[in-house]
Amino acid sequence: MTDAATANPVHDWISKSVAENPVIVFMKGEPEQPRCGFSAVVVQILDHLGVDFVGVDVLQSEALREGIKSYSDWPTIPQLYVKGEFVGGADIVKEMFQTGELKGFLAEQGVLTA
């Protein structure tokens, strides 16, 4: 992150949220009611694997919606973070799930509950 980014209050909030939550998804809508198909796919995969996670609705704030994109340098939403590490968006999460890589990664991180 650049010095300018660390002075950004939205980036500070994102950093704090990522640090405090072992698994967090920045998404459109909430886990109980996703507001886009890509967010729904990530929620379904995490639910299927039995992962406890926090969902953050980026539609609540334009600053947050744009801030998460610049924070991760990733242009799309949703975005999955595990133990502070950016994992990817819906396509990457789906591909990792289909190959079995995601389950192994989550197990290594100690965040699988099922």
Side-chain angles (χ1 to χ4, degrees):
M1 252 191 304
T2 64
D3 289 338
T6 57
N8 181 328
V10 172
H11 284 194
D12 292 344
W13 186 86
I14 293 168
S15 290
K16 185 174 186 283
S17 299
V18 167
E20 291 176 351
N21 296 285
V23 182
I24 187 167
V25 180
F26 292 87
M27 59 183 287
K28 293 178 181 176
E30 299 170 352
E32 301 78 26
Q33 194 170 23
R35 293 183 54 194
C36 85
F38 297 111
S39 293
V41 165
V42 172
V43 167
Q44 288 170 351
I45 288 170
L46 294 175
D47 284 346
H48 176 77
L49 292 173
V51 177
D52 284 333
F53 68 96
V54 171
V56 176
D57 182 2
V58 300
L59 297 177
Q60 293 179 23
S61 156
E62 186 63 27
L64 177 59
R65 185 176 181 176
E66 293 308 312
I68 190 62
K69 294 176 187 179
S70 61
Y71 178 83
S72 62
D73 197 24
W74 190 259
T76 60
I77 296 165
Q79 295 185 12
L80 172 64
Y81 289 80
V82 176
K83 296 279 181 108
E85 179 183 341
F86 175 60
V87 177
D91 291 347
I92 291 171
V93 171
K94 184 177 176 182
E95 183 178 315
M96 288 176 71
F97 172 69
Q98 289 171 336
T99 64
E101 184 183 354
L102 183 62
K103 186 173 185 176
F105 171 73
L106 295 169
E108 286 173 17
Q109 298 300 314
V111 296
L112 282 182
T113 57

